[in-house]
Amino acid sequence: MKKAIAFTILLAAFTSCSDSDTYQDIEKKPETGNPPTNPTDPTTPTTITYTKNVKSIIDANCISCHQNGRSASFKPLTTYAEVKAAVENAGLLNRIQLQNGQQGIMPQGGRISQTNIDLIVKWNTDGLKEN
């Protein structure tokens, strides 16, 4: 019962976060200066890491709400540990893979690119490595 109540509160808070821009509009290249990679592309790095590949996606698409002082500050995504915990325990992978219009989609402004979703999924498959 407690889990159901906590999930309902979490879901309500996530759905209250919005931005006038779509997330595709503000999506940026990873900090390495290379475009986002596609796990099926032969040029994709063998191992995806948070620092090299995932952090810039999270920064561009999530922390506008998921940081201190913002509407979803109760579930920050500003550090490796926070993002890793969200993947392992808070259903982040499921939420980012929902289709536009589905309840609970993250980010709420619109789905991030499939390439970036694939990167985050591969990061999870690779063991959620930091560096």
Side-chain angles (χ1 to χ4, degrees), residues 23-44:
Y23 287 91
Q24 286 83 6
D25 291 341
I26 62 172
E27 196 168 88
K28 68 177 186 176
K29 295 177 181 179
E31 290 180 16
T32 60
N34 298 323
T37 57
N38 181 341
T40 60
D41 184 333
T43 61
T44 299

Side-chain angles (χ1 to χ4, degrees), residues 16 20 55 59 61 76 91 110-111 126:
S16 68
S20 60
K55 183 180 184 316
D59 288 351
N61 295 285
R111 195 167 190 254
D126 287 348

Side-chain angles (χ1 to χ4, degrees), residues 53-64:
N53 309 102
V54 175
K55 183 180 184 316
S56 61
I57 298 168
I58 298 297
D59 288 351
N61 295 285
C62 306
I63 64 168
S64 62

Side-chain angles (χ1 to χ4, degrees), residues 64-84:
S64 62
C65 294
H66 291 274
Q67 65 177 316
N68 290 335
R70 302 300 292 210
S71 59
S73 63
F74 65 93
K75 190 64 176 169
L77 297 173
T78 57
T79 67
Y80 163 75
E82 292 165 346
V83 176
K84 180 181 178 194

Side-chain angles (χ1 to χ4, degrees), residues 5 38 52 60 89 99:
I5 292 171
N38 181 341
K52 292 179 184 174
N89 305 314
Q99 298 299 313

Side-chain angles (χ1 to χ4, degrees), residues 94-131:
N94 293 332
R95 305 281 306 265
I96 65 171
Q97 294 183 76
L98 293 172
Q99 298 299 313
N100 286 328
Q102 286 186 292
Q103 187 171 2
I105 187 173
M106 283 293 140
Q108 288 188 339
R111 195 167 190 254
I112 64 175
S113 73
Q114 188 62 49
T115 300
N116 285 343
I117 292 170
D118 291 345
L119 259 172
I120 296 170
V121 169
K122 185 168 181 347
W123 174 58
N124 180 53
T125 303
D126 287 348
L128 302 169
K129 293 179 172 60
E130 184 173 9
N131 295 311

